[in-house]
Amino acid sequence: MKEARPQSPILQQRKNHLLDDIVLDILARLPVKSLLRFRCVRKSWYFRITSPNFISAHLNMLLCHNRGYVIHMPSINLDNQDLKVACDRTFGGISEFKIPFSFQSGLAFLVGSCNGLLCFSNFRLQNSISNNVFFGFNDVYLWNPSIRKFKKLLDTCLGQLHLAKLGFAHHSQKNDYKVVRISRPFTEPMPPPEAEKREEDKRRYVEMILSFDVNSEKFKELPLPDDHSFKDGKCFTSVKEKLALAKFEQPPHGMLCCVWVMTEYGVCESWNKLCVVPIKTHTCFIGFTKYGSLLIQKKSQEFCSLEDKYVLIDPKTLYEKETSIQAIHPLVIATYMENLALLDGANVISY
């Protein structure tokens, strides 16, 4: 009998690399809770699961197979209130989280959600020297409920803020996240009003969309739909990851909600009217789900009543389906998914 020859080191190394690739591919398909446990299997797994490359690969896998979850909470939210996770299609409750940090103001404001990472800030009133009241945001936290970690961002260097707006987005080129603050300072005393008389004034007021690219950090003007009847109100939203504009009109026989969608980002001619939904006077527009259903709040005649109903509307058929949501205050709703973001971050707090 011939003795078996030992495998060459090169062949053995190739097999080990193949096995490692297969293992990593399997791990990238697992839920977050399993991956958190598997970090304890062996040291090499720990370093790979917590590496930025694996976190990105796991995120891409989740984005391809996103089942569609949302989180919702009252727009006026006290610290330690529950943040609820629900199915995007039915809004049936799945789980609940408690906010693990607190604000001095006692109010937690959900800035936004990006790939399962949540951004919160405090919502507080600022009094100026002349006792005018201004709204401002100071502390900002990033929170990943699925791995039970959060971090507080550095304080702003802008000083006193007036009418601050916050945005939260993913920096795709650097695979990082950015919080954008847009504000203007208030000064004392306020500048006096100016008046002028003209025989003929040909100036006109032009409305537009001002977008901010988090990759290039540049602003860009985007056109509105070719429909200038916006006097009854409007708000921006998204429909199946497309920029959308909900415009409210009040003809003689009730209120209408006209939804426009920009099918090709940045192209004015790509604005298309998606639907026109008749709504009642006591109705609050919430937004669209991942599957394209419109969520609205039908308010009762009583102020802050649990009898308010949250309804999903099919934009094509206008079929209404009542959800099981019960809330006194209007909801803030954002998409949600499990994610390993913050797992490899610095200055992160576990709880």
Side-chain angles (χ1 to χ4, degrees), residues 1 24 66 83-84 89 97 117 134 189 200 204 210 239 288 310 344:
M1 297 179 61
L24 288 176
N66 188 8
L83 186 76
K84 299 183 179 180
R89 284 189 181 275
F97 299 108
L117 189 62
F134 303 94
E200 182 180 5
R204 63 189 182 93
L210 188 63
V239 179
F288 284 86
Y310 289 84
D344 63 332

Side-chain angles (χ1 to χ4, degrees), residues 55-66:
I55 292 176
S56 299
H58 184 258
L59 173 61
N60 293 332
M61 191 68 68
L62 290 175
L63 292 174
C64 294
H65 302 87
N66 188 8

Side-chain angles (χ1 to χ4, degrees), residues 151-164:
K151 71 179 300 182
K152 182 180 182 295
L153 301 186
L154 297 177
D155 294 336
T156 177
C157 59
L158 297 180
Q160 297 294 326
L161 304 176
H162 176 206
L163 298 177

Side-chain angles (χ1 to χ4, degrees), residues 101 103 109 111 118-122 137-143 150-156 166-168 178-181:
F101 42 84
F103 296 102
F109 177 77
V111 177
L118 310 182
C119 179
F120 277 86
S121 181
N122 63 329
F137 301 90
N138 274 4
D139 299 332
V140 178
Y141 284 85
L142 299 183
W143 175 33
F150 68 90
K151 71 179 300 182
K152 182 180 182 295
L153 301 186
L154 297 177
D155 294 336
T156 177
L166 293 178
F168 182 52
K178 283 188 177 182
V179 178
V180 180
R181 186 196 305 266

Side-chain angles (χ1 to χ4, degrees), residues 10-39:
I10 297 179
L11 182 59
Q12 185 66 32
Q13 188 177 12
R14 288 179 179 176
K15 285 188 175 182
N16 290 337
H17 282 314
L18 179 61
L19 290 176
D20 289 342
D21 293 340
I22 294 175
V23 169
L24 288 176
D25 184 68
I26 295 174
L27 291 176
R29 300 171 186 271
L30 297 179
V32 169
K33 289 184 178 180
S34 299
L35 292 173
L36 295 180
R37 293 196 304 266
F38 290 164
R39 290 179 302 170

Side-chain angles (χ1 to χ4, degrees), residues 227-289:
D227 185 352
H228 303 290
S229 57
F230 294 123
K231 60 182 179 179
D232 293 321
K234 59 183 177 297
C235 66
F236 291 102
T237 181
S238 62
V239 179
K240 296 183 177 179
E241 300 184 353
K242 301 289 185 180
L243 177 64
L245 176 68
K247 179 173 66 71
F248 301 95
E249 300 177 354
Q250 193 165 6
H253 304 289
M255 180 77 73
L256 296 177
C257 176
C258 302
V259 180
W260 292 77
V261 178
M262 179 177 275
T263 57
E264 186 176 351
Y265 187 76
V267 179
C268 179
E269 293 76 17
S270 68
W271 280 112
N272 287 324
K273 184 179 287 187
L274 175 67
C275 61
V276 179
V277 180
I279 57 178
K280 297 182 180 180
T281 304
H282 301 285
T283 300
C284 182
F285 179 91
I286 304 295
F288 284 86
T289 68

